[in-house]
Amino acid sequence: MGPSRAWIASQATLFPERLDDYIAEQSAVRITDVFVDELFLSGLGFRTEPRNTGRPGYDPTMMLKLFTDAFVAIDGSKFKAVNNRGRNITKAKLKRRLEQIGESIARYLSEMESVDRHASELSEDKSQRLKGKIEILKGEIARLKKLEVEMLAAPDQQISLTDPDARSMATSGRGVAMRFPLLPNC
C-alpha cells in the first residue's frame, strides 16, 4: 500500500526524497559513483575546495558522477549572482554611456561659454570647476574606449567587471537603471 493521503498533502515536492530513488540497482551509475568516491581528485589536478566567493558551489566530485547513456538532471533554478547588472558592459550600454558623456561635455562647454561672458572672480572659479569636470569625463571616455576594445574581443561581445566569466541574462526584472561604476558625479 502506498503513502497515506495526509503524507502526500504535506510533501514539499512530488519528486522522491533522494536522487538515489531514481537509479536502478543494476545501473552503471552506481559503479561510477563508487569509482569517483575512491579517486584522489586533488592529485589529478581537480580543485576540491571551493573558493569563498559568491554562493556555495556544487561539490566537485558530484560534477563527475551520474553520467551514462542517459542521466537525470533536474534544474531550471535561477540563483542570485555576484555579477552586478551595472558592471556588465554590452555594446548598447557602452554606446548609451558614451552618448551621455558627450551630452554632459556639451552642456559644460555651453556653461563655460556663458561664464566666460561675465568676467568676474566667481566666474573664474566656476570655469575651473567646469574644466575639471570635463577632464574627468574625458578620462572616463578613455577608460570606456579601453573597455570597448576588450568587449569587442570577447566571443559574445560583453564583459563583466565583477567576474570575467559572468554574462548578462534576460530576466523579467525590467526597469533597472544602467549604472557604470567608479564614475564621478559630474
Side-chain angles (χ1 to χ4, degrees), residues 29-42:
V29 172
R30 294 189 184 279
I31 296 169
T32 305
D33 184 51
V34 172
F35 176 77
V36 171
D37 282 342
E38 297 299 319
L39 288 176
F40 181 58
L41 293 177
S42 60

Side-chain angles (χ1 to χ4, degrees), residues 140-151:
E140 178 64 6
I141 288 173
R143 184 179 82 88
L144 292 175
K145 290 294 183 182
K146 286 179 186 175
L147 288 174
E148 182 178 32
V149 170
E150 190 179 329
M151 177 196 65

